[in-house]
Amino acid sequence: MHMSRPAYWVSPLLCVAVLVAGVYAAVSGLGTTTLPLFVGGLVVLVVVDLAEFRRYPVRTPKPVAAALLAVRAALYAGLALVDGSGLVRVLLVLVPFTAYFAFGRAVAFGLAALCLAAAVVSVPDWYAHVERVSDLVMLAVGLVLTLTMAAVAVRERDGRIRLQESHRTVAELSAAAERARVARDLHDDLGHHLTAIVVLLEKASAFHDREPAAAKAAVLDAEQSARRALGEVRESVRSLRSFHLLAALDELVAGQDEVTLTVSGSPDGHAVGALHALYRAAQEGITNARRHAGATRIAVAVDLDAERARLAVADDGRGMGAAAEGFGLLGMRERVALSGGRVDLASTSSGTRLTVTIPAARTA
């Protein structure tokens, strides 16, 4: 099983090493070890370690960690009583080592000092024997090394957790940006075409009895607009790799007698995203002129030169009022801002003028 807890293998490995050394010492007659209790105690230690790592693969809660630390200390003390070789003393380094992960550096260093003091007290006349002094020095070195290893492992664990959190944040921001993009696309595409369909169907209803031919033509135009809406929704689902502004604008105003289109300059040197933002702005401007302003004439002018791309949508309606700051305009501002441009809107009772200006790609 993969463990995300750092250095989880240190405690079981050290227990196995002490087990092998203790069994060898008992078999060789180097100490009066009670072998069954000695082996059983080490097995319990390993089981406790593995159970903790399985239950808490990253970080053990502090109350649980404190209880397990007390259990381990009791097991170490019990093993020391049945171990005649003195090898169990090595396991003392695990007390500050395991404490470092749950309680931090200060607690771990304090426990390390207590462990070293307990070892000194438990060895009578240690200062009079070179071997005992050497054992205590090696224990001190082992404590320093295990504390260093724990510090590195904790730093690595915390860094990994922060990295995962940053990845999660980036993913959430990307998802939010994609949701906003899809929302803008749906609003711009469906909003424009549904408005056109409603206007055409109202026209068909009004002329149904007086001019059946005009009513039929309006119904056919509404059908074409619905088909275009379906096509653009399908296109929005796919990733758009290329975009032709002039062709898209021609299709946008096709069949709309009240809309005039004027284009000057070339789209060369302008980013696809900027041209797409202009197209969406034209869509939104026409839709708002129909839906909110009741305009009878709408003029769309596009000017593309070496320095900037500019779109102007002007109508003779009654103004947009509070609707000018709806979701459509917000989405338009977001699109244009992503390309480094700006949106200007002037709306009065005699008409509305929407202007979008985006610098050319090489000067943006």
Side-chain angles (χ1 to χ4, degrees):
M1 183 182 69
H2 171 71
M3 289 287 187
S4 57
R5 178 193 291 266
Y8 68 93
W9 45 268
V10 171
S11 179
L13 184 62
L14 192 56
C15 287
V16 171
V18 171
L19 174 63
V20 172
V23 171
Y24 174 77
V27 173
S28 302
L30 300 178
T32 57
T33 301
T34 307
L35 201 57
L37 294 177
F38 179 76
V39 174
L42 289 174
V43 170
V44 172
L45 273 175
V46 173
V47 170
V48 169
D49 290 337
L50 295 179
E52 178 188 6
F53 300 155
R54 181 178 292 273
R55 178 64 180 84
Y56 305 105
V58 177
R59 179 181 294 161
T60 306
K62 288 186 176 181
V64 178
L68 291 177
L69 191 61
V71 170
R72 288 189 177 97
L75 287 171
Y76 298 153
L79 285 170
L81 295 176
V82 300
D83 175 34
S85 64
L87 297 173
V88 172
R89 191 181 298 114
V90 176
L91 297 179
L92 287 176
V93 300
L94 294 177
V95 174
F97 178 78
T98 54
Y100 203 119
F101 293 98
F103 305 105
R105 180 173 56 186
V107 174
F109 273 74
L111 289 175
L114 288 176
C115 289
L116 185 59
V120 170
V121 171
S122 65
V123 180
D125 299 329
W126 58 269
Y127 48 85
H129 302 275
V130 175
E131 295 84 358
R132 295 177 181 177
V133 172
S134 177
D135 289 343
L136 291 174
V137 170
M138 293 303 297
L139 177 62
V141 171
L143 288 169
V144 171
L145 292 177
T146 52
L147 287 173
T148 303
M149 180 184 297
V152 173
V154 167
R155 192 156 44 243
E156 185 271 340
R157 178 197 65 186
D158 294 343
R160 186 174 64 249
I161 292 174
R162 286 194 298 269
L163 181 61
Q164 292 173 349
E165 290 175 349
S166 66
H167 286 171
R168 188 180 304 111
T169 301
V170 170
E172 291 173 354
L173 291 175
S174 299
E178 184 63 14
R179 286 194 297 269
R181 184 193 68 80
V182 171
R184 289 194 301 264
D185 286 348
L186 290 177
H187 176 274
D188 293 343
D189 286 332
L190 293 182
H192 168 77
H193 289 295
L194 290 177
T195 299
I197 291 171
V198 169
V199 171
L200 290 169
L201 291 179
E202 289 176 348
K203 179 180 178 180
S205 177
F207 287 89
H208 180 268
D209 295 328
R210 291 180 295 172
E211 299 183 27
K216 183 178 180 180
V219 171
L220 293 176
D221 289 340
E223 179 184 357
Q224 292 177 358
S225 185
R227 293 184 184 276
R228 284 196 296 270
L230 180 60
E232 290 189 9
V233 168
R234 288 172 176 169
E235 188 68 17
S236 295
V237 174
R238 297 188 294 269
S239 294
L240 200 57
R241 298 189 179 273
S242 62
F243 178 73
H244 303 285
L245 176 63
L246 304 185
L249 289 174
D250 286 337
E251 184 178 358
L252 177 66
V253 302
Q256 303 183 45
D257 297 335
E258 72 277 19
V259 181
T260 60
L261 173 65
T262 304
V263 179
S264 62
S266 170
D268 296 340
H270 296 278
V272 173
L275 298 178
H276 198 258
L278 288 183
Y279 171 74
R280 294 300 190 189
Q283 255 188 341
E284 181 66 18
I286 294 173
T287 299
N288 284 338
R290 283 175 160 176
R291 180 187 299 167
H292 303 297
T296 59
R297 298 189 62 82
I298 305 171
V300 179
V302 178
D303 182 21
L304 306 171
D305 59 31
E307 300 299 325
R308 50 101 180 103
R310 175 173 293 172
L311 165 78
V313 180
D315 65 63
D316 62 351
R318 59 179 176 271
M320 298 170 60
E325 294 298 328
F327 179 81
L329 183 60
L330 175 61
M332 183 197 310
R333 291 188 187 278
E334 290 175 350
R335 287 181 185 278
V336 174
L338 289 174
S339 297
R342 71 175 190 274
V343 176
D344 298 309
L345 184 67
S347 182
T348 66
S349 59
S350 58
T352 300
R353 182 177 180 84
L354 169 71
T355 305
V356 176
T357 307
I358 303 177
R362 56 177 173 269
T363 60

